Amino acid sequence: MKKTFMTAALVLALMFSLVGCSSKSTTEPNNNTETENTVTQAPEENAESEEASDETRVVTDARGEVEIPVNPQRIVDLSGNSDILSILGYKVAGTANSDAYDYTKFPSYLEDTLAGAEIVGYSMQDTMDIEAILALDPDLIIISSVQEKMYEQLQEVAPTVMIELKQLDWTEDIADMGRIFDKEEEANAWLEEYKAAASAVGEQIKEMNGEDATYLAFLASGGQIFIFDGAGVGSVLYQDMGLAKPEGMPEQENISLPVVTYEGLAAIDADYIFAIGTDEDLALLEASSIYQNIEAVKNGNVITLPSSPYFNMGYSPIGKEVFINEAVSLLESIQ
């Protein structure tokens, strides 16, 4: 079943206001997670390298204490953190890390990482198919606060850990997952590697375009413009790579993306633009005379990217890695 996103207003909701959002669409974005550590990129079979055992330990999650397996073998993750679990060395049996624009498939950057996992929904839905989850015979279930109303029901199936999603600092999510799974060293090591790589790419871009060049990333959806600042691709550009923000940016106070009109977009004075959207939304944008008269557009300094996978990419640790590895070539393509 495909889901088509419900336009701009839904994006805001999906943008992790952290109130249960059961979005039934394929047009928009969502990807948060609370996960943790490790520096590996493609996980082995879960803890399949370790033998299953009946050993358990007690951890503290968003609801209190819960007893979980020390070496879970059949993890079903509804929280959207399956990529972080893979970084920590776990392979999930079931996942809700589906593509925001088509819930029946994985985002392209997670196809290899999550190969073999069963898609049971989308991480910003507040309920999912309990029968599909039960059929996977999980020994551990991970949810976020978005799925809290399923908690009691899921606890009857397997030990259930609830993650409290963070607003803007995604590194806290990785740290939390590292703590819960007793893999804090791995989580910290992966973060250090990522930060060093992102910083190096940022310096390369500054050498290419100048220290003072400014960058803007936005999602075009339903005739509205959602600005990436402290979340998504924006956090990669500004926080991770250290690139300069343009003047005129709207203030972002939480995970919900600030929304501007075409006139508001024109008031943001960026040297380079990353425009993300579906073919239809980008066509609508490019037909606007206001957009056509933006300085970066007139100078040919615009990189257009498909909403799938680039919307979710900036919310995923593995997606972030993919983006920083592409950033230089993307900018070189418009030189």
Side-chain angles (χ1 to χ4, degrees):
M1 294 180 276
K2 292 202 173 179
K3 311 225 169 202
T4 53
F5 205 80
M6 299 195 154
T7 76
L10 199 57
V11 182
L12 260 190
L14 284 187
M15 289 310 34
F16 319 84
S17 17
L18 303 189
V19 287
C21 293
S22 298
S23 142
K24 302 218 173 148
S25 299
T26 290
T27 326
E28 243 25 85
N30 262 357
N31 219 311
N32 309 28
T33 339
E34 244 181 87
T35 14
E36 56 195 285
N37 29 330
T38 290
V39 119
T40 62
Q41 185 138 338
E44 304 278 348
E45 290 267 315
N46 230 4
E48 276 186 11
S49 43
E50 305 177 45
E51 292 186 12
S53 74
D54 295 330
E55 189 178 359
T56 64
R57 63 191 182 90
V58 175
V59 301
T60 302
D61 69 357
R63 289 181 61 108
E65 292 188 340
V66 57
E67 186 175 3
I68 68 170
V70 169
N71 296 316
Q73 303 293 304
R74 303 281 304 169
I75 299 174
V76 172
D77 168 50
L78 311 184
S79 71
N81 290 311
S82 299
D83 54 344
I84 298 178
L85 287 167
S86 75
I87 286 170
L88 296 177
Y90 295 99
K91 187 172 179 63
V92 297
T95 182
N97 273 73
S98 51
D99 188 285
Y101 290 76
D102 183 348
Y103 298 178
T104 68
K105 68 179 186 180
F106 298 121
S108 58
Y109 55 87
L110 291 180
E111 287 175 348
D112 291 340
T113 297
L114 299 181
E118 185 78 23
I119 294 175
V120 294
Y122 180 62
S123 62
M124 292 311 292
Q125 294 175 295
D126 59 0
T127 58
M128 298 182 201
D129 185 352
I130 193 71
E131 295 300 326
I133 296 167
L134 191 60
L136 292 171
D137 190 26
D139 59 2
L140 179 64
I141 299 171
I142 301 172
I143 66 172
S144 77
S145 50
V146 173
Q147 296 92 33
E148 184 168 13
K149 68 180 175 182
M150 295 184 69
Y151 183 83
E152 301 298 337
Q153 190 177 19
L154 292 171
Q155 259 200 328
E156 297 297 316
V157 176
T160 300
V161 170
M162 191 176 88
I163 303 298
E164 185 66 48
L165 298 174
K166 298 301 183 292
Q167 287 288 303
L168 293 177
D169 189 354
W170 64 278
T171 64
E172 290 183 15
D173 291 335
I174 294 183
D176 279 353
M177 291 291 275
R179 174 185 56 78
I180 287 171
F181 285 91
D182 196 24
K183 290 180 178 287
E184 291 168 290
E185 288 186 12
E186 293 92 327
N188 291 336
W190 186 91
L191 281 170
E192 288 305 311
E193 283 191 12
Y194 170 78
K195 289 176 181 177
S199 177
V201 170
E203 291 304 314
Q204 189 177 349
I205 290 172
K206 290 174 187 176
E207 289 179 12
M208 184 170 67
N209 293 335
E211 286 278 341
D212 298 327
T214 58
Y215 302 82
L216 171 67
F218 64 80
L219 173 74
S221 179
Q224 290 183 289
I225 305 298
F226 295 82
I227 303 297
F228 291 109
D229 181 2
V233 172
S235 69
V236 182
L237 296 175
Y238 308 132
Q239 297 170 15
D240 304 343
M241 292 198 286
L243 300 178
K245 290 184 186 182
E247 294 184 4
M249 290 272 288
E251 185 175 352
Q252 181 169 3
E253 297 179 350
N254 54 41
I255 199 68
S256 297
L257 298 178
V259 184
V260 298
T261 61
Y262 286 176
E263 290 82 1
L265 178 63
I268 302 174
D269 186 21
D271 296 312
Y272 295 90
I273 290 174
F274 293 86
I276 299 171
T278 63
D279 290 344
E280 295 78 10
D281 283 318
L282 290 173
L284 181 65
L285 174 72
E286 291 164 359
S288 164
S289 59
I290 297 172
Y291 180 73
Q292 292 169 8
N293 282 304
I294 292 174
E295 201 63 29
V297 177
K298 292 193 291 185
N299 292 338
N301 289 340
V302 177
I303 298 159
T304 57
L305 300 169
S307 52
S308 174
Y310 285 90
F311 173 82
N312 276 80
M313 188 177 282
Y315 294 96
S316 159
I318 290 176
K320 287 172 181 283
E321 285 188 311
V322 171
F323 186 80
I324 64 171
N325 288 335
E326 292 180 351
V328 171
S329 61
L330 288 172
L331 288 162
E332 285 177 341
S333 70
I334 59 172
Q335 299 297 312

